Amino acid sequence: MNRARQAILRVGFYALTVAVAVLPAHADPLPAGFVRLADIAPSIRQDIRYAGAGNFLHRKVKGYDAPVCILTLQAAQALAGVQQAIAAQGLTLVVFDCYRPARAVADMGEWTRQGGPPDPQWYPRVRRGDLIAKGYVGELSTHSRGSTVDVAIARADGPSVAKP
């Protein structure tokens, strides 16, 4: 490689390094091997309920700062394959929960320990304090590994699902 080309490449690399260093903090880099599902399969609908109040806690769950599905690359690619297969039938995937931060799992556990009566919408036959013992809420979650997803299938031209 000639010297001029090497110099241009060095300047380009330096400019790229500087640009990355000054990216805004809200760029939220993901851990290695994780992706935003929308970057891999933008046609999959996302209805991340724990980022708002439409869930069994009736409030945003700690750790869900945005209604965004984050997964391992392998899991996102698998969903993209399913999405491609069902799209020809006029269907789409809808994801409700993807990667779940450990602080969210802890928040759910703490919430159940506060006790309370059954909730007619979400757990009509179980007292809040019994949700972990009966297996409705986990003290640990496979969602925290980034390859577990809560998913449904809906008509591509219709509503996702009934809202709570």
Side-chain angles (χ1 to χ4, degrees):
M1 194 180 315
N2 67 32
R3 287 181 184 228
R5 186 169 178 180
Q6 287 177 339
I8 291 170
L9 287 174
R10 273 193 296 258
V11 169
F13 178 74
Y14 175 75
L16 180 61
T17 302
V18 169
V20 169
V22 298
L23 282 175
H26 66 275
D28 294 331
L30 298 175
F34 281 73
V35 297
R36 288 174 183 80
L37 179 62
D39 292 340
I40 304 299
S43 65
I44 295 177
R45 292 186 194 159
Q46 295 186 36
D47 186 3
I48 310 299
R49 303 270 175 110
Y50 295 136
N55 60 66
F56 70 95
L57 277 74
H58 297 283
R59 63 166 172 80
K60 179 179 150 309
V61 178
K62 293 176 185 171
Y64 285 84
D65 298 327
V68 176
C69 175
I70 296 170
L71 291 169
T72 61
L73 176 59
Q74 183 179 8
Q77 289 172 332
L79 287 176
V82 173
Q83 178 75 353
Q84 184 177 16
I86 67 174
Q89 300 166 23
L91 301 172
T92 185
L93 293 176
V94 182
V95 294
F96 300 99
D97 194 23
C98 300
Y99 166 72
R100 184 180 300 163
R103 65 185 177 274
V105 177
D107 186 27
M108 290 176 182
E110 179 57 34
W111 178 86
T112 64
R113 287 186 279 283
Q114 294 170 2
D119 180 320
Q121 180 180 2
W122 298 101
Y123 45 94
R125 294 182 180 87
V126 181
R127 296 186 57 76
R128 185 194 298 190
D130 294 333
L131 290 172
I132 290 177
K134 297 204 180 249
Y136 291 92
V137 176
E139 291 187 272
L140 299 173
S141 175
T142 57
H143 283 277
S144 296
R145 291 184 286 189
S147 291
T148 299
V149 72
D150 295 341
V151 63
I153 298 175
R155 299 262 344 132
D157 59 356
S160 294
V161 293
K163 293 290 181 182

